[in-house]
Structures are given as structure tokens and as C-alpha cells.
Amino acid sequence: MITVDAAIKFIRREAAEHEPFFAVVWFGSPHGPHQALPADREPYADQPEKLQHFYGEITAMDRAIGKLRNEIKTLGIQQNTIFWYCSDNGALPNVGNNGDRRGHKNRVYEGGLLVPAILEWPAKITKPRKTDVPCSTCDIYPTILDIVGVHPENQPPLDGVSLVPLIDGRMTQRDKPLGFWHYASQGRRTPSLPWMRELYDAQQAGRDLGRPERLCLDAGKITKQYPTNRMPGHAAWVDGPWKLHRIEERKTKQVRFELYNLADDRREANNLIDEQPERAQRMKSELDTWLRSVIDSLNGKDYR
């Protein structure tokens, strides 16, 4: 609730001034170490303790999302407020449900990529509907630009597309492939349990929640340069129902490719790389171009 309460405080201020706003709410749950409240664990009492905490955290997150949606209704801005929810990775091994797809979190197979997403916009989406058109978080930015009619000067290359045609019911398939890359690079340590406990204690005591030393204020500064002649890790290129994998073995540095037709083979079990040589070659070339564009962005070339 800490994050949602902070978002509500911001939204109330902007709504009072009749100003448009953009708020991003990152939930720490469900994330290890899983630790749910007793009341949230109760509905899952028949499950192992580990799952009680996991499902209990999801229940708490659901309650927080409900609080945020109710606040938007109370403020009278629900009709023309876009409420967009999505997860950031596929299911955890041995805990979540990946819908019988291959792989899980930290994998580039569909079990590690596919996640649910919900977009609520009563003014434009008047009744519930669903879509199988693949989308990505990289589509959020170009979609918002399209909605508000903004065309930035010197816009760096974008991987995403505007989903306005999808929202309007005019898009039945994606016309731009999607790239994914699990790059073997060290991230930043964020110990959620002690940090969230500290935030909670501060909130309960009415103290300032800020810890500026933990903010990545230099995130916009590009200092590290990534090699342009190597593409380590596991990457994939999704073009319609076809998905090409490029996998570099960590020890041997040998590269292998796999090709699947997701429409017929959702489990990515039947490798068609030898049966579709022309398609595979075209997709290899496109994936290679995209990977090099990612390296250009990492090295700052796209922002000069």
C-alpha cells in the first residue's frame, strides 16, 4: 500500500489543479522473500506455506490496485484516465503458472515472456474485450505519444509501436516484430525486505520516505561501453507466429539457432530451423540488426 498511497497523494494534487498526470506504480509484490499478511494467507490455508505467502502477496497487490482504481472513481476522472497494468516477466519455477509454455522467469522461451496485461479506458473501451495481438512494454511510450499528439524532435529509435489502433479495435495483428535479449550483465542490488520494512516504519511514524542516496540519479549518464562484436546470452525475434532463438553458450561461446511456429507449437518443442532455411536466414539478419541497435543504445550512440 505504501507505493499506492504515494501515487494517490500525487494524483489528488494533480486532479485538484485539473492537470493531466502520468503515474507509474511499481509493486514490490509478489517478490522474494515472500511474506504475506496473515489475513491474506487465510484464503490459501490448504496450500503449502510457501504458496500461502506467494498467493497472499498477490491478494494484497489486488487490494492495492482496487484502492487506486476506487480513488480515480472518487475523483471523478475515471472516464478519461488510462489505467494500464502488466507484469514484467513470466512465471517463477515451481510457484507460478506459465500456461504450459516452455521456460519461466529469466528465460526467453514463452513461459518467461508471456504475461497478462489489462488496459482500462472507459471513454474509449466501452465494454470488455480481449486480444491475442502480442504487445510489449516498449509499446507504452509510443502509444502515449500518439494519444496526446506529441511528436518529439530528434526522437531516438523506438522498438515499440502505437497501440491506438488496437485500442480502437482496428488492429488484428502486429506489423512490427518484437525483439528480446537476456544479456549477461550484472544488475543493481535492491534488498526488498529491509528496504520495504524501513519504508513502512517511516510511513507509520509520519517521517519522510525519501532516501536520495538510493536513487540512481546518474541513470542518464552512459559511462560503460559494451562490445559491438559480441552478442552474448539468449535473444529471440518474434515475427507473427514465427519465433527465432539465438543462443550463445556461456562456456563455449558457440551460437545455435532454434525456430518455432508458435501458432502450431506453443510449447516450442518442434525446432524447424532446418526445414525453413530461407525464413530462418531472413529472421537471423533482422535479429542481428536489432541486436546491434540495442548495443548502440546501451553505448549512447542513439542519444547523441
Side-chain angles (χ1 to χ4, degrees), residues 213-263:
E213 68 274 14
R214 290 177 181 166
L215 299 177
C216 302
L217 300 177
D218 61 344
K221 296 179 181 179
I222 297 176
T223 55
K224 181 176 180 178
Q225 293 294 293
Y226 292 81
T228 58
N229 60 345
R230 282 199 60 238
M231 300 170 186
H234 185 168
W237 190 244
V238 182
D239 187 1
W242 294 94
K243 183 177 181 182
L244 178 77
H245 291 264
R246 182 189 187 279
I247 306 169
E248 180 181 291
E249 298 294 343
R250 180 173 296 183
K251 293 183 178 180
T252 65
K253 309 303 180 186
Q254 295 295 311
V255 176
R256 74 174 191 275
F257 291 90
E258 299 172 359
L259 179 68
Y260 301 102
N261 185 331
L262 299 177

Side-chain angles (χ1 to χ4, degrees), residues 72-86:
I72 291 173
K73 291 180 183 178
T74 300
L75 292 172
I77 59 175
Q78 180 198 22
Q79 245 345 77
N80 206 30
T81 294
I82 301 170
F83 196 99
W84 204 331
Y85 166 84
C86 67

